[in-house]
Amino acid sequence: MSLDFNNPPLKIFSSSSTKKGIEIGGAKSIISIDSSHNFYNEGNIYTEMSWAAFYEEEGLEDQIDTFTTTEYDSIREDPEALVDTIVKTIYQIINNRKIFYGILDLEVDAFLDANTTVIPGLKLDYEIINKLLEAHKRTREKGLFPKIIIDEKGINKIKIEFQGNKKNHLHIKGSKLEDLINQLRLAKGFAVGIVCTSSNAANLYIMSDNIVFSKDEIPELYIDDDNLKVIEYGIKKKLLFPISWFRIDIGIRSLETLELWEKIKDNPELNKAFNHYERYINALVFKKFKSVAESQKIGTNSEDDFYNMTPKERKKALKDMEKAIEILTREYKE
């Protein structure tokens, strides 16, 4: 199922190249989703792009000689700016009736280095990296990047789709905000993989993840060998063209992966925004519980009672609600 990615980091999805060099770099963005699971780039933490010039000597034409910075926009080393962006993002998400999804990292290195994958947590064989390198060269030469769509509001977007045995870890099931947040509020972990273009869309092939949706689950990394075979076959048949690496840290706890987290986590304005967001998602979870309970014709606590509880009481009530939803859903299916 294709989704819209609104305001994506365009440089990553359309990096240029010539016989003299290539454009490489990376971007880190805060991402939200709507009830249809479309993605929105809510704020950039950094965008760094460089022009990598090749050697002019014969036989070294594909090896990088020098780097020249072409674009640099970063707040990851500025605590005040980082807090301002996160706070602004949280209120934007609440006001626009969306959900904080996580943090997206995209890295374009043109697959030139067979010794590393640039994305922490992902290790691939040299042979595969070399195949990606050759395929990426074709992508650049033929301009086979995802089609940029401009909607009636002038917003840039591309079509994206998740691929892999555990793609539901990123494309969470649910048709309403309350369904999505009921899973995302406890989600933690990350997924890593390769972005490939096919039929003008960006396909995110998940190579590995350790995402869990419960405090009791123990995350484990793995390699999705089936997905690797799909990519290799698609490249061989010239159906898939690799663009970049990706890493997605999921849930509100993805903010804890930021380099400055320990310095900003106690900021009063940041915690005020977190409290507003917690009340917002609690209301959505309550709405889901109330809907399920009413469909089963059982009694419910009033919404006023719920919001008059202390934070500790609300936390316990939400946990009880979650268990009740699971039981009621299971009984309904049986």
Side-chain angles (χ1 to χ4, degrees):
M1 178 180 176
S2 294
L3 312 166
D4 287 338
F5 185 2
N6 296 269
N7 285 324
L10 296 180
K11 282 284 187 180
I12 303 297
F13 291 105
S14 58
S15 58
S16 61
S17 70
T18 68
K19 291 182 178 180
K20 293 185 176 182
I22 56 174
E23 195 171 30
I24 61 178
K28 183 190 286 281
S29 306
I30 299 174
I31 304 298
S32 70
I33 57 171
D34 61 19
S35 58
S36 298
H37 214 294
N38 293 313
F39 276 46
Y40 296 82
N41 180 359
E42 297 286 351
N44 289 320
I45 295 173
Y46 75 81
T47 300
E48 298 176 3
M49 300 299 295
S50 297
W51 179 256
F54 295 135
Y55 282 100
E56 295 183 0
E57 289 85 349
E58 186 176 349
L60 299 175
E61 296 91 344
D62 289 336
Q63 295 187 37
I64 296 173
D65 180 16
T66 61
F67 290 94
T68 304
T69 300
T70 56
E71 182 178 346
Y72 183 83
D73 181 13
S74 175
I75 59 170
R76 60 179 173 178
E77 297 174 354
D78 184 339
E80 186 176 338
L82 189 57
V83 167
D84 287 346
T85 295
I86 296 173
V87 169
K88 179 183 176 183
T89 294
I90 290 174
Y91 289 130
Q92 278 179 182
I93 290 171
I94 295 172
N95 293 335
N96 293 318
R97 299 288 294 171
K98 291 184 286 189
I99 297 172
F100 189 107
Y101 182 81
I103 294 177
L104 170 65
D105 277 282
L106 293 165
E107 294 286 343
V108 177
D109 71 342
F111 304 95
L112 288 167
D113 189 351
N115 296 311
T116 179
T117 60
V118 311
I119 293 293
L122 179 61
K123 299 294 182 183
L124 298 177
D125 293 338
Y126 293 160
E127 182 181 350
I128 295 172
I129 297 294
N130 286 327
K131 288 180 180 179
L132 292 170
L133 188 157
E134 291 301 318
H136 192 273
K137 191 182 298 184
R138 291 197 297 272
T139 306
R140 303 192 310 266
E141 290 172 351
K142 297 184 179 182
L144 300 171
F145 293 98
K147 183 180 180 181
I148 307 299
I149 303 167
I150 303 177
D151 67 13
E152 64 279 1
K153 296 180 181 179
I155 297 174
N156 292 317
K157 59 179 64 177
I158 61 172
K159 292 291 183 181
I160 65 171
E161 189 168 338
F162 292 109
Q163 307 288 351
N165 290 329
K166 295 187 179 181
K167 63 183 179 182
N168 287 338
H169 282 185
L170 292 181
H171 189 164
I172 300 166
K173 292 182 179 180
S175 58
K176 299 178 181 179
L177 281 180
E178 48 265 37
D179 296 328
L180 299 176
I181 195 57
N182 191 47
Q183 297 182 68
L184 270 173
R185 67 190 179 89
L186 295 177
K188 62 180 179 180
F190 65 87
V192 292
I194 301 169
V195 183
C196 294
T197 183
S198 176
S199 302
N200 294 322
N203 289 266
L204 281 73
Y205 285 84
I206 304 165
M207 296 293 97
S208 182
D209 84 87
N210 64 354
I211 294 172
V212 294
F213 298 92
S214 168
K215 292 180 180 179
D216 299 327
E217 289 183 78
I218 300 175
E220 292 183 4
L221 282 170
Y222 62 94
I223 293 293
D224 191 335
D225 292 320
D226 293 337
N227 228 8
L228 276 176
K229 291 176 183 177
V230 169
I231 293 175
E232 288 188 81
Y233 179 82
I235 287 174
K236 182 179 179 180
K237 295 297 183 179
K238 298 183 180 180
L239 300 172
L240 293 177
F241 303 91
I243 301 171
S244 68
W245 307 101
F246 78 85
R247 170 171 168 152
I248 297 178
D249 288 85
I250 199 169
I252 195 74
R253 293 187 62 183
S254 62
L255 293 170
E256 297 174 12
T257 66
L258 296 175
E259 295 174 16
L260 293 181
W261 176 250
E262 290 300 318
K263 290 186 178 180
I264 68 172
K265 67 179 183 179
D266 296 323
N267 182 278
E269 289 302 314
L270 184 62
N271 282 284
K272 180 180 178 182
F274 284 152
N275 288 335
H276 277 285
Y277 186 72
E278 184 179 5
R279 288 197 294 271
Y280 169 67
I281 64 173
N282 282 350
L284 290 173
V285 175
F286 181 87
K287 182 179 178 182
K288 177 177 176 64
F289 171 73
K290 185 177 180 182
S291 174
V292 173
E294 288 178 347
S295 71
Q296 300 297 320
K297 297 181 181 179
I298 65 172
T300 62
N301 293 325
S302 72
E303 192 167 354
D304 287 340
D305 289 342
F306 179 75
Y307 289 110
N308 285 331
M309 294 178 180
T310 66
K312 186 175 181 179
E313 290 171 333
R314 278 204 303 270
K315 188 175 182 180
K316 183 179 184 305
L318 286 169
K319 190 173 183 179
D320 292 341
M321 288 178 188
E322 186 176 15
K323 289 181 179 178
I325 291 170
E326 291 176 358
I327 293 171
L328 290 169
T329 302
R330 186 166 58 248
E331 289 179 350
Y332 177 75
K333 288 180 179 179
E334 292 174 352

